[in-house]
């Protein structure tokens, strides 16, 4: 590399010999205010970072809104009775219903992937609402939904119940519709299950049918 030096009155032009092996920069003593500024900035960053992660943890935890309702709900895979063609609805409804619940400002759903994975490991232990309630509590949910789909020819019967975290049934809703009206059926089912929450928040839920194709699978 070529090295240049500014030449002017009062400036010393170093010789090549003076520049040999001068690879290290001389340490300069920093003013005291530089150190104080660095300490203050590090402290602010530390506090803000801690506040950010603490607030995220608080958001993850189930909280109560002004109506005293737990804001987290778990949707468990539906029990499906019928041909193999509709077996996908068992876990598929978990995703569909959870997506709709997350639209309501005062509600959020348990992550479907986490929930399905947990249920898969503990299926043999889940045979009553009380046992599902225990699992819901471990997932941070204050309420949960259990349901069943029964195929009756070309008609599907959806039956779902919402429970409190202590295993007590809050509401049950049943719908019979043609398979071609699947999206509208799920819409109606969800809106009836969370009618109480929708009324208290004044929130109007969007249509699932508007977000899906005719082939729901």
């Amino acid at each position: 590399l070529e090295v240049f030096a500014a030449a002017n009155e009062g400036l010393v032009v170093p010789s090549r010999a003076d520049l040999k092996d001068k690879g290290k920069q001389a340490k300069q003593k920093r003013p005291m205010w530089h150190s104080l500024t660095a300490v203050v900035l590090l402290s602010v960053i530390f506090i803000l970072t801690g506040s950010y992660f603490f607030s995220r943890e608080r958001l993850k935890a189930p909280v109560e809104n002004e109506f005293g309702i737990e804001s987290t709900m778990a949707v468990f895979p539906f029990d499906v009775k019928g041909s193999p063609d509709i077996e996908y609805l068992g876990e598929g409804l978990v995703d569909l219903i959870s997506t709709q619940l997350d639209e309501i400002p005062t509600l959020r759903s348990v992550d479907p992937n986490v929930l399905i994975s947990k249920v898969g490991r503990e299926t043999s232990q889940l045979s009553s609402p009380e046992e599902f309630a225990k699992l819901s509590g471990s997932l941070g949910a204050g309420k949960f939904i259990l349901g069943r789909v029964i195929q009756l020819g070309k008609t599907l019967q959806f039956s779902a119940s919402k429970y409190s975290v202590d295993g007590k049934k809050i509401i049950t809703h049943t719908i019979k519709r043609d398979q071609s009206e699947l999206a509208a059926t799920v819409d109606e089912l969800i809106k009836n299950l969370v009618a109480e929450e929708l009324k208290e928040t004044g929130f109007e839920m969007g249509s699932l049918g508007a977000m899906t194709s005719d082939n729901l699978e």
Side-chain angles (χ1 to χ4, degrees), residues 132-172:
F132 278 99
K134 185 177 180 180
L135 180 55
S136 296
S138 71
L139 293 168
K143 296 177 184 177
F144 63 95
I145 293 173
L146 296 178
R148 173 176 293 181
V149 181
I150 300 175
Q151 188 175 33
L152 306 169
K154 292 185 178 181
T155 301
L156 294 179
Q157 176 177 295
F158 291 80
S159 181
S161 300
K162 181 173 65 177
Y163 294 83
S164 60
V165 74
D166 57 3
K168 294 182 180 178
K169 188 182 294 185
I170 299 173
I171 186 175
T172 296

CSV table of all heavy atoms in Angstrom, one decimal, residues 132-172:
chain,number,residue,atom,x,y,z
A,132,PHE,N,-58.7,-33.6,30.2
A,132,PHE,CA,-58.4,-32.6,29.2
A,132,PHE,C,-58.2,-31.2,29.9
A,132,PHE,O,-57.4,-30.4,29.5
A,132,PHE,CB,-59.5,-32.5,28.2
A,132,PHE,CG,-59.4,-33.5,27.1
A,132,PHE,CD1,-60.2,-34.6,27.1
A,132,PHE,CD2,-58.6,-33.3,26.0
A,132,PHE,CE1,-60.1,-35.6,26.1
A,132,PHE,CE2,-58.5,-34.2,25.0
A,132,PHE,CZ,-59.3,-35.4,25.0
A,133,ALA,N,-59.0,-31.0,31.0
A,133,ALA,CA,-58.8,-29.8,31.7
A,133,ALA,C,-57.4,-29.7,32.3
A,133,ALA,O,-56.8,-28.6,32.3
A,133,ALA,CB,-59.9,-29.7,32.8
A,134,LYS,N,-56.9,-30.8,32.9
A,134,LYS,CA,-55.6,-30.8,33.5
A,134,LYS,C,-54.6,-30.4,32.4
A,134,LYS,O,-53.6,-29.6,32.7
A,134,LYS,CB,-55.3,-32.1,34.1
A,134,LYS,CG,-54.0,-32.2,34.9
A,134,LYS,CD,-53.8,-33.5,35.5
A,134,LYS,CE,-52.5,-33.6,36.3
A,134,LYS,NZ,-52.3,-34.9,36.9
A,135,LEU,N,-54.7,-31.0,31.2
A,135,LEU,CA,-53.7,-30.7,30.2
A,135,LEU,C,-53.9,-29.3,29.7
A,135,LEU,O,-52.9,-28.6,29.4
A,135,LEU,CB,-54.0,-31.7,29.0
A,135,LEU,CG,-53.1,-31.5,27.8
A,135,LEU,CD1,-51.6,-31.6,28.2
A,135,LEU,CD2,-53.4,-32.6,26.7
A,136,SER,N,-55.1,-28.8,29.6
A,136,SER,CA,-55.3,-27.4,29.2
A,136,SER,C,-54.6,-26.4,30.2
A,136,SER,O,-54.0,-25.5,29.8
A,136,SER,CB,-56.8,-27.0,29.2
A,136,SER,OG,-57.5,-27.8,28.3
A,137,GLY,N,-54.7,-26.7,31.5
A,137,GLY,CA,-54.1,-25.9,32.5
A,137,GLY,C,-52.6,-25.9,32.3
A,137,GLY,O,-51.9,-24.9,32.5
A,138,SER,N,-52.0,-27.1,32.0
A,138,SER,CA,-50.5,-27.1,31.8
A,138,SER,C,-50.1,-26.3,30.5
A,138,SER,O,-48.9,-26.0,30.4
A,138,SER,CB,-50.1,-28.6,31.7
A,138,SER,OG,-50.5,-29.1,30.4
A,139,LEU,N,-51.0,-26.1,29.6
A,139,LEU,CA,-50.7,-25.4,28.4
A,139,LEU,C,-51.1,-23.9,28.6
A,139,LEU,O,-50.9,-23.1,27.6
A,139,LEU,CB,-51.5,-25.9,27.2
A,139,LEU,CG,-51.1,-27.3,26.8
A,139,LEU,CD1,-52.2,-27.9,25.8
A,139,LEU,CD2,-49.8,-27.3,26.1
A,140,GLY,N,-51.5,-23.5,29.7
A,140,GLY,CA,-51.8,-22.1,30.0
A,140,GLY,C,-53.2,-21.6,29.6
A,140,GLY,O,-53.4,-20.4,29.4
A,141,ALA,N,-54.1,-22.6,29.3
A,141,ALA,CA,-55.4,-22.2,28.8
A,141,ALA,C,-56.4,-22.1,29.9
A,141,ALA,O,-56.4,-23.0,30.8
A,141,ALA,CB,-55.9,-23.2,27.7
A,142,GLY,N,-57.3,-21.2,29.9
A,142,GLY,CA,-58.4,-21.0,30.8
A,142,GLY,C,-59.7,-21.7,30.4
A,142,GLY,O,-60.5,-22.0,31.3
A,143,LYS,N,-59.8,-22.0,29.1
A,143,LYS,CA,-61.0,-22.7,28.6
A,143,LYS,C,-60.5,-23.7,27.5
A,143,LYS,O,-59.4,-23.5,27.0
A,143,LYS,CB,-62.0,-21.8,28.0
A,143,LYS,CG,-62.6,-20.8,29.1
A,143,LYS,CD,-63.6,-19.8,28.4
A,143,LYS,CE,-64.1,-18.9,29.4
A,143,LYS,NZ,-65.0,-17.8,28.8
A,144,PHE,N,-61.3,-24.7,27.2
A,144,PHE,CA,-60.9,-25.6,26.1
A,144,PHE,C,-62.1,-26.1,25.4
A,144,PHE,O,-63.3,-26.0,25.9
A,144,PHE,CB,-60.1,-26.7,26.6
A,144,PHE,CG,-60.7,-27.6,27.6
A,144,PHE,CD1,-61.4,-28.8,27.2
A,144,PHE,CD2,-60.7,-27.3,28.9
A,144,PHE,CE1,-62.0,-29.7,28.1
A,144,PHE,CE2,-61.4,-28.2,29.9
A,144,PHE,CZ,-62.0,-29.4,29.4
A,145,ILE,N,-61.9,-26.6,24.1
A,145,ILE,CA,-63.0,-27.0,23.3
A,145,ILE,C,-62.8,-28.5,22.9
A,145,ILE,O,-61.7,-28.9,22.5
A,145,ILE,CB,-63.1,-26.2,22.0
A,145,ILE,CG1,-63.6,-24.8,22.3
A,145,ILE,CG2,-64.1,-26.8,21.0
A,145,ILE,CD1,-63.5,-23.8,21.1
A,146,LEU,N,-63.8,-29.3,23.1
A,146,LEU,CA,-63.8,-30.7,22.7
A,146,LEU,C,-64.9,-30.9,21.7
A,146,LEU,O,-66.0,-30.3,21.8
A,146,LEU,CB,-64.0,-31.7,23.9
A,146,LEU,CG,-63.0,-31.7,25.0
A,146,LEU,CD1,-63.4,-32.7,26.1
A,146,LEU,CD2,-61.6,-32.1,24.4
A,147,GLY,N,-64.7,-31.7,20.6
A,147,GLY,CA,-65.7,-31.9,19.6
A,147,GLY,C,-65.7,-33.2,18.9
A,147,GLY,O,-64.8,-34.0,19.1
A,148,ARG,N,-66.7,-33.4,18.1
A,148,ARG,CA,-66.9,-34.7,17.4
A,148,ARG,C,-67.5,-34.4,16.1
A,148,ARG,O,-68.4,-33.6,15.9
A,148,ARG,CB,-67.8,-35.7,18.2
A,148,ARG,CG,-68.1,-37.0,17.5
A,148,ARG,CD,-68.9,-37.9,18.4
A,148,ARG,NE,-68.1,-38.4,19.5
A,148,ARG,CZ,-68.5,-39.3,20.4
A,148,ARG,NH1,-69.8,-39.7,20.3
A,148,ARG,NH2,-67.7,-39.7,21.3
A,149,VAL,N,-67.1,-35.2,15.1
A,149,VAL,CA,-67.7,-35.1,13.7
A,149,VAL,C,-68.2,-36.5,13.3
A,149,VAL,O,-67.4,-37.5,13.4
A,149,VAL,CB,-66.6,-34.6,12.7
A,149,VAL,CG1,-67.3,-34.5,11.3
A,149,VAL,CG2,-66.0,-33.3,13.0
A,150,ILE,N,-69.4,-36.6,13.0
A,150,ILE,CA,-70.0,-37.9,12.6
A,150,ILE,C,-70.6,-37.7,11.2
A,150,ILE,O,-71.3,-36.8,10.8
A,150,ILE,CB,-71.2,-38.3,13.5
A,150,ILE,CG1,-70.7,-38.4,15.0
A,150,ILE,CG2,-71.8,-39.6,13.1
A,150,ILE,CD1,-71.8,-38.7,16.0
A,151,GLN,N,-70.2,-38.7,10.3
A,151,GLN,CA,-70.6,-38.7,8.9
A,151,GLN,C,-71.9,-39.5,8.8
A,151,GLN,O,-72.0,-40.6,9.2
A,151,GLN,CB,-69.5,-39.3,8.0
A,151,GLN,CG,-69.8,-39.2,6.5
A,151,GLN,CD,-68.7,-39.7,5.7
A,151,GLN,OE1,-68.0,-40.6,6.1
A,151,GLN,NE2,-68.5,-39.1,4.6
A,152,LEU,N,-72.9,-38.8,8.3
A,152,LEU,CA,-74.2,-39.4,8.0
A,152,LEU,C,-74.6,-39.3,6.6
A,152,LEU,O,-75.3,-38.4,6.1
A,152,LEU,CB,-75.3,-38.7,8.9
A,152,LEU,CG,-75.0,-38.6,10.4
A,152,LEU,CD1,-76.0,-37.7,11.0
A,152,LEU,CD2,-75.1,-40.0,11.0
A,153,GLY,N,-74.1,-40.3,5.8
A,153,GLY,CA,-74.2,-40.2,4.3
A,153,GLY,C,-73.4,-39.0,3.8
A,153,GLY,O,-72.2,-38.9,4.0
A,154,LYS,N,-74.1,-38.1,3.1
A,154,LYS,CA,-73.4,-36.9,2.6
A,154,LYS,C,-73.5,-35.7,3.6
A,154,LYS,O,-73.1,-34.6,3.3
A,154,LYS,CB,-74.1,-36.4,1.3
A,154,LYS,CG,-73.8,-37.4,0.1
A,154,LYS,CD,-74.3,-36.9,-1.2
A,154,LYS,CE,-74.0,-37.8,-2.3
A,154,LYS,NZ,-74.5,-37.3,-3.6
A,155,THR,N,-74.1,-36.0,4.7
A,155,THR,CA,-74.2,-35.0,5.8
A,155,THR,C,-73.2,-35.2,6.9
A,155,THR,O,-72.9,-36.3,7.2
A,155,THR,CB,-75.6,-35.0,6.4
A,155,THR,OG1,-76.6,-34.8,5.4
A,155,THR,CG2,-75.8,-34.0,7.5
A,156,LEU,N,-72.7,-34.1,7.4
A,156,LEU,CA,-71.7,-34.1,8.5
A,156,LEU,C,-72.4,-33.5,9.7
A,156,LEU,O,-73.0,-32.4,9.6
A,156,LEU,CB,-70.4,-33.4,8.2
A,156,LEU,CG,-69.6,-34.0,7.1
A,156,LEU,CD1,-68.3,-33.1,6.9
A,156,LEU,CD2,-69.1,-35.4,7.5
A,157,GLN,N,-72.3,-34.2,10.9
A,157,GLN,CA,-72.8,-33.6,12.1
A,157,GLN,C,-71.7,-33.2,13.0
A,157,GLN,O,-70.8,-34.0,13.4
A,157,GLN,CB,-73.7,-34.6,12.9
A,157,GLN,CG,-74.2,-34.1,14.2
A,157,GLN,CD,-75.1,-35.1,14.9
A,157,GLN,OE1,-76.2,-35.4,14.4
A,157,GLN,NE2,-74.6,-35.6,16.1
A,158,PHE,N,-71.6,-31.9,13.3
A,158,PHE,CA,-70.5,-31.3,14.1
A,158,PHE,C,-71.1,-31.1,15.5
A,158,PHE,O,-72.2,-30.4,15.6
A,158,PHE,CB,-70.0,-30.0,13.6
A,158,PHE,CG,-69.2,-30.2,12.3
A,158,PHE,CD1,-69.9,-30.3,11.1
A,158,PHE,CD2,-67.8,-30.1,12.3
A,158,PHE,CE1,-69.2,-30.4,9.9
A,158,PHE,CE2,-67.1,-30.3,11.1
A,158,PHE,CZ,-67.8,-30.4,9.9
A,159,SER,N,-70.5,-31.6,16.5
A,159,SER,CA,-70.9,-31.3,17.9
A,159,SER,C,-69.7,-30.9,18.7
A,159,SER,O,-68.6,-31.6,18.7
A,159,SER,CB,-71.5,-32.5,18.5
A,159,SER,OG,-71.9,-32.3,19.8
A,160,ALA,N,-69.7,-29.7,19.3
A,160,ALA,CA,-68.6,-29.2,20.0
A,160,ALA,C,-69.0,-28.6,21.4
A,160,ALA,O,-70.1,-28.0,21.4
A,160,ALA,CB,-67.8,-28.2,19.2
A,161,SER,N,-68.2,-28.7,22.4
A,161,SER,CA,-68.5,-28.2,23.7
A,161,SER,C,-67.3,-27.3,24.2
A,161,SER,O,-66.1,-27.7,24.0
A,161,SER,CB,-68.8,-29.3,24.7
A,161,SER,OG,-69.9,-30.1,24.3
A,162,LYS,N,-67.6,-26.3,24.9
A,162,LYS,CA,-66.6,-25.4,25.5
A,162,LYS,C,-66.7,-25.7,27.0
A,162,LYS,O,-67.7,-25.7,27.6
A,162,LYS,CB,-66.9,-23.9,25.2
A,162,LYS,CG,-65.9,-23.0,25.8
A,162,LYS,CD,-66.1,-21.5,25.3
A,162,LYS,CE,-67.4,-21.0,25.8
A,162,LYS,NZ,-67.6,-19.6,25.4
A,163,TYR,N,-65.5,-25.9,27.6
A,163,TYR,CA,-65.3,-26.2,29.0
A,163,TYR,C,-64.5,-25.1,29.7
A,163,TYR,O,-63.6,-24.5,29.1
A,163,TYR,CB,-64.7,-27.5,29.2
A,163,TYR,CG,-65.5,-28.7,28.7
A,163,TYR,CD1,-65.4,-29.1,27.4
A,163,TYR,CD2,-66.2,-29.5,29.6
A,163,TYR,CE1,-66.2,-30.2,26.9
A,163,TYR,CE2,-66.9,-30.6,29.1
A,163,TYR,CZ,-66.9,-30.9,27.8
A,163,TYR,OH,-67.6,-32.0,27.4
A,164,SER,N,-64.7,-24.9,31.0
A,164,SER,CA,-63.9,-24.1,31.8
A,164,SER,C,-62.7,-24.9,32.2
A,164,SER,O,-62.6,-26.1,32.0
A,164,SER,CB,-64.6,-23.6,33.0
A,164,SER,OG,-65.0,-24.7,33.8
A,165,VAL,N,-61.7,-24.3,32.8
A,165,VAL,CA,-60.4,-24.9,33.1
A,165,VAL,C,-60.6,-26.0,34.2
A,165,VAL,O,-59.7,-26.9,34.4
A,165,VAL,CB,-59.3,-23.9,33.5
A,165,VAL,CG1,-59.6,-23.4,34.9
A,165,VAL,CG2,-57.9,-24.5,33.5
A,166,ASP,N,-61.7,-26.0,34.9
A,166,ASP,CA,-61.9,-27.0,36.0
A,166,ASP,C,-62.7,-28.2,35.4
A,166,ASP,O,-63.1,-29.1,36.2
A,166,ASP,CB,-62.7,-26.4,37.2
A,166,ASP,CG,-64.0,-25.7,36.8
A,166,ASP,OD1,-64.4,-25.8,35.6
A,166,ASP,OD2,-64.6,-25.1,37.7
A,167,GLY,N,-63.0,-28.2,34.1
A,167,GLY,CA,-63.6,-29.3,33.5
A,167,GLY,C,-65.1,-29.2,33.4
A,167,GLY,O,-65.8,-30.2,33.0
A,168,LYS,N,-65.7,-28.1,33.8
A,168,LYS,CA,-67.2,-27.9,33.7
A,168,LYS,C,-67.6,-27.4,32.4
A,168,LYS,O,-67.0,-26.5,31.8
A,168,LYS,CB,-67.6,-26.9,34.8
A,168,LYS,CG,-67.4,-27.5,36.2
A,168,LYS,CD,-67.9,-26.5,37.3
A,168,LYS,CE,-67.7,-27.0,38.7
A,168,LYS,NZ,-68.1,-26.0,39.7
A,169,LYS,N,-68.7,-28.0,31.8
A,169,LYS,CA,-69.2,-27.7,30.5
A,169,LYS,C,-69.8,-26.3,30.5
A,169,LYS,O,-70.7,-26.1,31.4
A,169,LYS,CB,-70.1,-28.7,30.0
A,169,LYS,CG,-70.5,-28.5,28.5
A,169,LYS,CD,-71.5,-29.6,28.1
A,169,LYS,CE,-70.9,-31.0,28.0
A,169,LYS,NZ,-71.8,-32.0,27.5
A,170,ILE,N,-69.5,-25.4,29.6
A,170,ILE,CA,-70.1,-24.1,29.5
A,170,ILE,C,-71.2,-24.1,28.5
A,170,ILE,O,-72.3,-23.6,28.8
A,170,ILE,CB,-69.0,-23.0,29.2
A,170,ILE,CG1,-67.9,-23.0,30.3
A,170,ILE,CG2,-69.7,-21.7,29.1
A,170,ILE,CD1,-66.7,-22.1,29.9
A,171,ILE,N,-70.9,-24.6,27.3
A,171,ILE,CA,-71.9,-24.6,26.2
A,171,ILE,C,-71.6,-25.7,25.2
A,171,ILE,O,-70.5,-26.1,25.1
A,171,ILE,CB,-71.9,-23.2,25.5
A,171,ILE,CG1,-73.0,-23.1,24.4
A,171,ILE,CG2,-70.5,-23.0,24.8
A,171,ILE,CD1,-73.1,-21.8,23.8
A,172,THR,N,-72.7,-26.2,24.6
A,172,THR,CA,-72.5,-27.2,23.6
A,172,THR,C,-73.3,-26.8,22.3
A,172,THR,O,-74.4,-26.2,22.5
A,172,THR,CB,-73.1,-28.6,24.0
A,172,THR,OG1,-72.3,-29.1,25.1
A,172,THR,CG2,-73.0,-29.6,22.9
